[in-house]
């Protein structure tokens, strides 16, 4: 069961981490490339702010974004802003999300995200936590996958293993963090079973497209090629 109240607190903590870390940058550093191809750090910060507003839309029953083009245009518009504007926007948009999350609501209801994806409202705070903490890593300013909270890593691997479960392009694949945590995913493609072993941070990095899997050990075949998220 999702605990949206606890997840909202985790979102606040993650937001404070990224705000505190980003505040040590300067305008030149904000304009430098992030770890995401084609995006500066300003793009990442702008996306985090606009995503908070988009998830407010979701919780209030509106379309997440007016359109894909609008989403992209808003990020491009906001990316070149100086650091103080980026931080203020991220702080204010995070406060709007927190205020919406604190309002009385039926958290068991189904909400719609992008591209027709639906989910329980109770899962939206965790989705926001994922955005904040993974994009903090994407900024490339000293926060790494190994620094993520253990609960976050386990739950996000749970989510991604479920997402790729039965996928037509992914053979049956076991994931082993070497500490008792194991998962299964794939199963829709021929081949396997394949076992992928490595630290949980490396497993997560591979599943979410942040690492290429070179830190993992694979048995039973080549490392599966995962579809884009």
């Amino acid at each position: 069961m999702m605990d949206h109240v606890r997840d909202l607190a985790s979102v606040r903590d993650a937001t404070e981490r990224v705000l505190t870390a980003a505040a040590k940058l300067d305008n030149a550093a904000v304009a430098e490339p992030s770890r995401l191809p084609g995006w500066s750090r300003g793009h990442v910060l702008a996306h985090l702010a606009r995503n908070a507003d988009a998830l407010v839309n979701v919780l209030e029953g509106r379309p997440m974004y007016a359109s894909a083009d609008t989403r992209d245009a808003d990020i491009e518009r906001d990316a070149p802003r100086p650091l103080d504007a980026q931080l203020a926007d991220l702080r204010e948009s995070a406060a709007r999300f927190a205020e919406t999350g604190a309002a009385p609501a039926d958290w068991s209801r189904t909400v719609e995200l992008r591209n027709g994806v639906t989910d329980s409202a109770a899962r939206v705070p965790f989705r926001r936590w994922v955005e904040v903490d993974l994009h903090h890593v994407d900024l490339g300013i000293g926060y790494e996958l190994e620094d993520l909270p253990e609960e976050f890593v386990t739950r996000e691997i749970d989510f991604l293993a479920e997402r790729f479960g039965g996928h037509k392009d992914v053979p049956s694949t076991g994931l082993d963090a070497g500490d008792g945590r194991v998962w299964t995913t794939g199963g829709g493609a021929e081949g396997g079973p394949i076992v992928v072993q490595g630290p949980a941070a490396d497993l997560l990095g591979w599943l979410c497209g942040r690492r290429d899997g070179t830190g993992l050990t694979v048995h039973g075949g080549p490392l599966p090629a995962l579809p884009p998220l």
Side-chain angles (χ1 to χ4, degrees):
M1 293 290 292
M2 285 284 163
D3 184 343
H4 71 276
V5 174
R6 187 163 181 241
D7 285 345
L8 286 166
S10 296
V11 170
R12 289 192 292 272
D13 291 344
T15 301
E16 285 305 312
R17 280 195 296 273
V18 73
L19 283 168
T20 298
K24 299 174 183 177
L25 303 175
D26 56 25
N27 291 336
V30 171
E32 290 173 353
S34 74
R35 290 173 171 173
L36 294 178
W39 271 17
S40 68
R41 293 191 178 110
H43 283 88
V44 175
L45 293 171
H47 167 61
L48 280 174
R50 300 288 68 77
N51 174 263
D53 287 336
L55 291 177
V56 168
N57 289 337
V58 167
L59 290 175
E60 294 184 344
R62 295 185 296 273
M64 187 169 179
Y65 296 100
S67 68
D69 288 344
T70 299
R71 170 190 177 275
D72 295 345
D74 287 348
I75 294 170
E76 290 296 332
R77 177 198 66 206
D78 294 342
R81 297 174 302 177
L83 177 63
D84 59 351
Q86 297 279 11
L87 296 179
D89 188 17
L90 179 52
R91 187 175 294 109
E92 291 163 8
S93 59
R96 290 190 290 271
F97 178 76
E99 181 180 8
T100 301
D106 174 13
W107 287 91
S108 67
R109 72 193 188 280
T110 298
V111 295
E112 184 171 345
L113 295 106
R114 294 181 67 195
N115 304 319
V117 172
T118 59
D119 205 346
S120 165
R123 199 176 185 106
V124 170
F126 181 68
R127 285 180 175 270
R128 175 60 182 170
W129 186 10
V130 171
E131 291 287 328
V132 176
D133 251 349
L134 285 185
H135 284 314
H136 189 172
V137 173
D138 293 333
L139 286 170
I141 55 176
Y143 189 67
E144 303 295 341
L145 294 172
E146 286 77 9
D147 298 316
L148 293 167
E150 184 175 331
E151 177 194 354
F152 175 93
V153 173
T154 298
R155 290 176 61 188
E156 181 62 355
I157 295 176
D158 288 345
F159 174 77
L160 293 171
E162 179 181 348
R163 178 166 181 165
F164 294 130
H167 195 285
K168 64 181 181 63
D169 296 325
V170 183
S172 178
T173 304
L175 310 171
D176 184 351
D179 55 8
R181 286 179 290 177
V182 295
W183 299 262
T184 58
T185 192
E190 294 182 359
I194 293 169
V195 176
V196 181
Q197 296 176 316
D202 281 321
L203 290 172
L204 174 58
W206 171 61
L207 289 167
C208 71
R210 266 69 179 185
R211 291 185 180 170
D212 62 8
T214 54
L216 301 170
T217 301
V218 187
H219 304 278
L223 185 69
L226 298 176
L229 292 171

